[in-house]
């Protein structure tokens, strides 16, 4: 079989296909650059958007990325035909780039080249009446003002606005049906955002430059953030660090680690705060909820560290011999210690202790002249020289014993004062720990309830 025969067979097969003849006749005088409506005519275009997925919401750039299906329906009389003339062919699938399509663009797009035009791989379904149905998929990146006041328990309101770029409302009547909720039949649930509502509306706008009115179709997306990720990775570490810093108040003062625990906790919280600041837009309109929580936590840890310095000072104050005021002793040891379930053996006052201590009485009388032996006793003992030596020796011994007794009494008094200041430090540490724990829990519950 030669080449000429093959070409004749192919030409015969094409001639037998009514769609080939139909397409040839339709596009013989068709020009896609010409609009399918006259100067004083209005073309009705029905448009709908099917939301498939909220791919991403970039808080720092304030951009929402969505995956959508665009549906367009209009009537092009230049593409109509009689079914009887073409063996009852009711519709055709024609590449969208071969026919005229409405110049509908997304108004609040962040990309200049995002013209929302169908690609050459999308086919339009053309009915015999000239009605054209065009459905295609598009990834839209639109501006979305992010409100961070309640982050990470926030709810964002974003919108997509569609409008004809060159045709006004008298030329292109764009409609999307009745305003209200849009079905989410094809929506894929996001792991980060909960869909609250998806609504549509139609608006008429007038610009100062032009007397004509322009039609816009607006689709509003309301999503709520799922906070579990941020609660686990940002809130729980902050809470644990705060509790560790507060428990540092209960560390024994002799360990020398009270201040270092507070400073280490502050550094860890500041590091977490830097992580949060990298996630949010640099806005001054509002302080995020998590930022407020971190600020309160940092304040609590700073105060606990500062008060740890105070309790350390109180703990070592008794070594300098400063007596504890009687009012402080009564309030802290008699009332506050009982409330905090701290058992303290309250020492007696210095006056009572000294009155009952015979060693103190003897020490006070140690400066009195020591008794001496009489002359008759000295003569009986063997002479005056021996008596003088014994008297001086006895006086020296009694002075040494009196001095030692005074030292013991003074040390006992100092130990008593030191004990009272140490007990006061313990009472204050436990009271401050309970207060700060209550404030920490109350703050966490109040902010995130």
């Amino acid at each position: 079989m030669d080449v000429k025969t093959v070409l004749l067979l192919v030409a015969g097969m094409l001639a037998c296909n009514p769609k080939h003849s139909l397409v040839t006749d339709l596009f013989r005088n068709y020009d896609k650059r010409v609009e399918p409506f006259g100067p004083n005519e209005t073309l009705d275009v029905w448009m709908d958007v099917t939301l498939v997925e909220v791919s991403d919401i970039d808080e720092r750039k304030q951009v929402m990325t969505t995956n959508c299906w665009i549906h367009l329906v209009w009537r092009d009389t230049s593409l109509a035909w009689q079914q009887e003339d073409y063996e009852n062919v009711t519709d055709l699938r024609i590449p969208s780039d071969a026919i005229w399509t409405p110049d509908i663009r997304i108004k609040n797009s962040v990309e200049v080249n995002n013209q929302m035009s169908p690609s050459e791989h999308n086919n339009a379904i053309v009915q015999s009446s000239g009605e054209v149905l065009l459905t295609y998929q598009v990834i839209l990146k639109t501006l979305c003002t992010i409100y961070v006041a309640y982050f990470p328990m926030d709810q964002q309101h974003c919108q997509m606005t569609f409008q004809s770029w060159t045709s006004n409302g008298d030329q292109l009547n764009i409609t999307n049906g009745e305003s209200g909720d849009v079905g989410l039949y094809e929506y894929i649930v996001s792991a980060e955002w909960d869909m609250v509502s998806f609504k549509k509306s139609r608006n008429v706008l007038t610009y100062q430059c032009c007397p004509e009115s322009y039609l816009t179709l607006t689709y509003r997306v309301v999503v709520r953030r799922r906070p579990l990720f941020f609660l686990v990775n940002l809130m729980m570490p902050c809470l644990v660090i705060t509790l560790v810093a507060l428990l540092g108040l209960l560390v024994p003062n002799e360990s020398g680690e009270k201040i270092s625990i507070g400073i280490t906790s502050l550094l860890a919280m500041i590091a977490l705060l830097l992580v949060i600041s990298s996630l949010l837009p640099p806005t001054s309109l509002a302080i995020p909820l998590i930022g407020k929580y971190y600020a309160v936590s940092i304040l609590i840890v700073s105060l606990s560290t500062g008060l740890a310095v105070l309790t350390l000072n109180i703990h070592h104050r008794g070594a300098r011999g400063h007596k504890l005021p009687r009012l402080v002793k009564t309030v802290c040891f008699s009332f506050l210690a009982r409330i905090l379930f701290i058992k303290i053996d309250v020492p007696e006052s210095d006056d009572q202790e000294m009155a009952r201590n015979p060693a103190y009485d003897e020490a006070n009388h140690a400066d009195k002249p020591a008794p001496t032996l009489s002359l008759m006793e000295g003569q009986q003992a063997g002479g005056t020289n021996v008596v003088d030596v014994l008297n001086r020796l006895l006086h020296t011994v009694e002075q040494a014993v009196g001095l030692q007794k005074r030292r013991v009494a003074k040390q006992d008094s100092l130990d008593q004062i030191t004990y009272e200041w140490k007990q006061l430090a313990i009472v204050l540490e436990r009271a401050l720990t309970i207060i700060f724990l209550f404030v920490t829990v109350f703050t966490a519950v109040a902010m995130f309830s």
Side-chain angles (χ1 to χ4, degrees):
M1 184 178 295
D2 56 0
V3 177
K4 185 177 180 180
T5 305
V6 173
L7 293 175
L8 291 174
L9 290 175
V10 172
M13 293 176 61
L14 293 176
C16 294
N17 189 351
K19 292 186 177 181
H20 179 267
S21 301
L22 176 58
V23 171
T24 303
D25 294 341
L26 287 176
F27 287 91
R28 180 175 291 115
N29 297 318
Y30 183 81
D31 191 350
K32 66 178 182 180
R33 296 173 298 178
V34 180
E35 301 167 343
F37 54 89
N40 298 321
E41 296 179 354
T42 301
L43 179 65
D44 295 330
V45 178
W46 180 84
M47 177 182 175
D48 196 13
V49 177
T50 300
L51 182 61
V52 178
E53 181 186 12
V54 177
S55 304
D56 180 46
I57 296 181
D58 192 332
E59 290 86 355
R60 291 191 64 84
K61 297 182 179 179
Q62 303 195 49
V63 173
M64 179 182 68
T65 303
T66 54
N67 182 5
C68 301
W69 294 349
I70 306 298
H71 309 277
L72 296 173
V73 178
W74 72 93
R75 185 180 180 86
D76 192 342
T77 56
S78 301
L79 298 177
W81 71 89
Q82 296 294 327
Q83 299 182 14
E84 295 79 7
D85 298 338
Y86 299 94
E87 300 182 8
N88 294 324
V89 175
T90 59
D91 54 52
L92 290 174
R93 270 74 177 172
I94 301 175
S96 59
D97 61 339
I99 62 175
W100 177 89
T101 55
D103 62 336
I104 298 177
R105 307 291 183 258
I106 185 162
K107 188 177 179 181
N108 58 334
S109 174
V110 298
E111 296 181 345
V112 177
N113 59 350
N114 184 13
Q115 300 300 319
M116 216 186 72
S117 299
S119 66
E120 59 183 5
H121 303 291
N122 296 106
N123 288 336
I125 302 176
V126 182
Q127 303 292 335
S128 60
S129 60
E131 182 179 278
V132 182
L133 170 62
L134 178 59
T135 300
Y136 58 95
Q137 185 181 17
V138 65
I139 302 297
L140 301 177
K141 292 185 178 182
T142 54
L143 292 173
C144 180
T145 303
I146 304 298
Y147 297 95
V148 298
Y150 296 100
F151 178 87
M153 319 283 288
D154 54 334
Q155 181 172 291
Q156 301 300 333
H157 298 256
C158 305
Q159 67 179 24
M160 300 176 288
T161 303
F162 301 90
Q163 179 182 0
S164 174
W165 208 246
T166 58
S167 302
N168 55 49
D170 297 332
Q171 297 170 335
L172 215 59
N173 181 27
I174 307 174
T175 182
N176 57 357
E178 296 182 357
S179 301
D181 295 331
V182 182
L184 298 171
Y185 309 109
E186 302 294 337
Y187 181 71
I188 301 175
V189 178
S190 173
E192 185 178 358
W193 300 93
D194 277 330
M195 178 61 63
V196 178
S197 66
F198 182 47
K199 297 183 178 181
K200 62 182 180 180
S201 62
R202 181 174 180 266
N203 305 296
V204 180
L205 301 179
T206 302
Y207 300 98
Q208 294 181 355
C209 65
C210 312
E212 300 87 0
S213 60
Y214 288 83
L215 302 177
T216 62
L217 303 181
T218 303
Y219 289 81
R220 291 179 173 85
V221 181
V222 181
V223 290
R224 183 185 298 111
R225 191 189 304 272
R226 299 174 185 264
L228 182 61
F229 173 82
F230 299 95
L231 293 178
V232 173
N233 293 278
L234 294 178
M235 302 305 303
M236 290 301 297
C238 178
L239 181 60
V240 172
I241 292 172
T242 305
L243 295 178
V244 169
L246 297 182
L247 292 178
L249 286 172
L250 301 180
V251 174
N253 294 302
E254 293 81 3
S255 65
E257 298 293 334
K258 295 177 73 71
I259 307 301
S260 61
I261 291 176
I263 294 176
T264 305
S265 301
L266 276 177
L267 294 176
M269 295 184 68
I270 292 175
L272 287 176
L273 190 59
L274 292 177
V275 174
I276 296 174
S277 63
S278 65
L279 300 175
L280 300 177
T283 178
S284 300
L285 299 178
I287 300 176
L289 184 64
I290 192 172
K292 296 178 182 178
Y293 177 72
Y294 267 74
V296 173
S297 300
I298 290 175
L299 179 61
I300 292 174
V301 174
S302 301
L303 288 177
S304 66
T305 305
L307 292 175
V309 176
L310 177 63
T311 56
L312 279 174
N313 193 344
I314 293 175
H315 178 82
H316 296 286
R317 190 175 181 83
R320 296 189 289 270
H322 299 286
K323 293 184 178 181
L324 187 65
R326 188 178 301 275
L327 178 61
V328 175
K329 188 187 304 183
T330 303
V331 173
C332 293
F333 293 164
S334 300
F335 299 100
L336 191 57
R338 294 180 181 178
I339 297 175
L340 299 177
F341 301 101
I342 299 177
K343 185 178 180 180
I344 296 179
D345 297 330
V346 181
E348 296 181 354
S349 63
D350 297 340
D351 298 338
Q352 295 176 354
E353 182 70 19
M354 292 177 181
R356 295 183 181 182
N357 192 353
Y360 182 80
D361 293 336
E362 296 178 1
N364 288 334
H365 295 85
D367 294 334
K368 294 181 179 180
T372 59
L373 297 175
S374 62
L375 180 60
M376 295 297 295
E377 293 174 348
Q379 292 176 353
Q380 294 177 1
T384 57
N385 294 331
V386 176
V387 172
D388 294 339
V389 172
L390 291 178
N391 286 335
R392 288 195 297 271
L393 180 61
L394 180 61
H395 181 68
T396 303
V397 171
E398 289 182 348
Q399 284 183 341
V401 172
L403 179 61
Q404 183 64 28
K405 288 181 179 181
R406 286 195 299 272
R407 289 177 179 177
V408 171
K410 185 177 181 180
Q411 184 63 40
D412 291 341
S413 177
L414 184 61
D415 291 342
Q416 176 183 327
I417 294 173
T418 303
Y419 172 79
E420 292 176 352
W421 283 103
K422 289 182 177 180
Q423 294 300 314
L424 176 63
I426 293 175
V427 173
L428 292 179
E429 287 170 353
R430 184 170 298 185
L432 292 174
T433 302
I434 294 175
I435 292 174
F436 282 137
L437 285 176
F438 175 78
V439 173
T440 301
V441 175
F442 177 78
T443 302
V445 174
M447 286 191 175
F448 299 101
S449 61

